[in-house]
Amino acid sequence: MQFKSMVLSNVEVSPSYFRMRMTAPPAISGSQPGQFVMVRVNPAIDPLLRRPFGVFDLGTFETEFTDCGRQSYLEILYKVVGKGTAMLSTLHQNDHLDILGPLGKGFIPGDPAGEKLLVGGGVGLAPLYYLAKELVRDSKVNLFAGGRNKEDVLCITEFERLGVETYVATDDGTLGARGLVTDVFEEQLAKAGPKATILACGPFPMLKAVALLAEKYNVPCQVSLEAYMACGVGACLGCVVKGKNHSDSTPDYRCVCKDGPVFDSKDLLWS
């Protein structure tokens, strides 16, 4: 669906990282964790294309107008990396946006009795928060968060408030363990129960490492891919990745926006 939205807040939570809350129609409550929205950051022609953002959180709030009742809201977590996100970071309360979504395929929770192992890096933590919020109702949830330094590890306190057990690793050791988050993750993965499920989002090299560990320990794994998107609905084919059956003679491409962004790790060609 396409809808007009009003900014409720736009807060810098870490250098260059922002958390934005905006109004949304009630139907947004049907979103799956892992889905995304396409945001037009400016009503003018520049920038022309919308920007994709994972759904960080959904909820409702009481409006100041008593006759209006409760209003739904949508939150995104983003990093300023170019013109579009730089423009987004300048918006304030009561500014307006044009939103398309929710789009794509989200995470499949799996067996509630199984332990859920969430792995994220940087803004890859964005869709994992809403996912964790849903999973903690029925399952034990562990989060493995990584980044180059402490400024790249976002909203850990919010995850802990949900009751999620968190493990953190940074390249420079400024927060948590020193090194790759996948090293910390493997230590715990080796102890995971037989019904465990891995759910990950972040940069491709991290997801590749997680997928290989999932194969090594024979644990089901879903990954949410990050990609540059132009349309968000599979029309432009600008965000394709190689599927597991891909070869030069038999191409197998998957659209991140339409076939994903969440995939079973076994369905992709990681090499």
Side-chain angles (χ1 to χ4, degrees):
M1 61 181 168
Q2 184 174 355
F3 59 92
K4 300 294 183 182
S5 178
M6 185 177 72
V7 175
L8 298 170
S9 62
N10 191 23
V11 180
E12 190 171 17
V13 295
S14 189
S16 299
Y17 290 97
F18 287 77
R19 179 176 177 177
M20 176 183 283
R21 176 178 291 193
M22 64 194 81
T23 59
I28 199 74
S29 62
S31 302
Q32 288 180 290
Q35 288 188 297
F36 66 97
V37 293
M38 298 290 287
V39 179
R40 181 175 290 283
V41 300
N42 189 338
I45 197 170
D46 184 30
L48 177 63
L49 300 177
R50 295 174 182 265
R51 299 299 193 266
F53 300 99
V55 175
F56 178 75
D57 194 16
L58 297 174
T60 61
F61 67 98
E62 194 73 41
T63 67
E64 59 181 295
F65 305 105
T66 54
D67 291 342
C68 296
R70 298 193 67 82
Q71 167 73 55
S72 299
Y73 68 79
L74 158 73
E75 287 190 355
I76 60 174
L77 192 66
Y78 66 95
K79 181 179 182 180
V80 176
V81 294
K83 177 184 287 188
T85 45
M87 294 175 70
L88 202 63
S89 71
T90 64
L91 298 182
H92 301 284
Q93 186 178 14
N94 297 330
D95 285 337
H96 291 84
L97 292 166
D98 187 280
I99 312 293
L100 183 64
L103 301 170
K105 296 179 180 177
F107 290 101
I108 300 172
D111 189 341
E115 185 178 2
K116 302 302 186 298
L117 308 174
L118 278 52
V119 190
V123 289
L125 290 169
L128 297 184
Y129 179 75
Y130 181 45
L131 174 63
K133 194 176 178 181
E134 296 295 303
L135 292 177
V136 292
R137 298 175 181 176
D138 304 303
S139 306
K140 178 183 177 182
V141 181
N142 293 338
L143 171 71
F144 302 86
R148 292 170 299 174
N149 53 55
K150 63 181 181 181
E151 295 175 350
D152 289 328
V153 181
L154 311 172
C155 302
I156 292 300
T157 302
E158 280 81 350
F159 281 94
E160 292 175 338
R161 286 173 181 161
L162 294 176
V164 174
E165 188 170 352
T166 59
Y167 302 82
V168 176
T170 50
D171 294 351
D172 63 2
T174 50
L175 186 64
R178 185 185 184 95
L180 299 176
V181 69
T182 46
D183 295 336
V184 178
F185 171 62
E186 184 173 11
E187 293 176 11
Q188 298 301 318
L189 180 59
K191 307 173 188 176
K195 295 183 179 180
T197 301
I198 301 168
L199 307 117
C201 182
F204 192 86
M206 187 203 81
L207 295 182
K208 179 179 179 180
V210 170
L212 293 177
L213 288 173
E215 184 178 1
K216 176 181 177 180
Y217 291 93
N218 194 31
V219 178
C221 177
Q222 298 171 48
V223 295
S224 178
L225 300 186
E226 299 174 347
Y228 292 105
M229 296 179 187
C231 70
V233 295
C236 69
L237 305 180
C239 62
V240 295
V241 294
K242 294 176 181 178
K244 62 180 179 179
N245 300 316
H246 180 82
S247 69
D248 291 339
S249 57
T250 57
D252 176 17
Y253 290 105
R254 317 289 175 92
C255 277
V256 173
C257 65
K258 186 177 180 181
D259 301 320
V262 179
F263 296 87
D264 187 309
S265 62
K266 293 181 179 179
D267 290 339
L268 300 176
L269 184 66
W270 295 101
S271 60

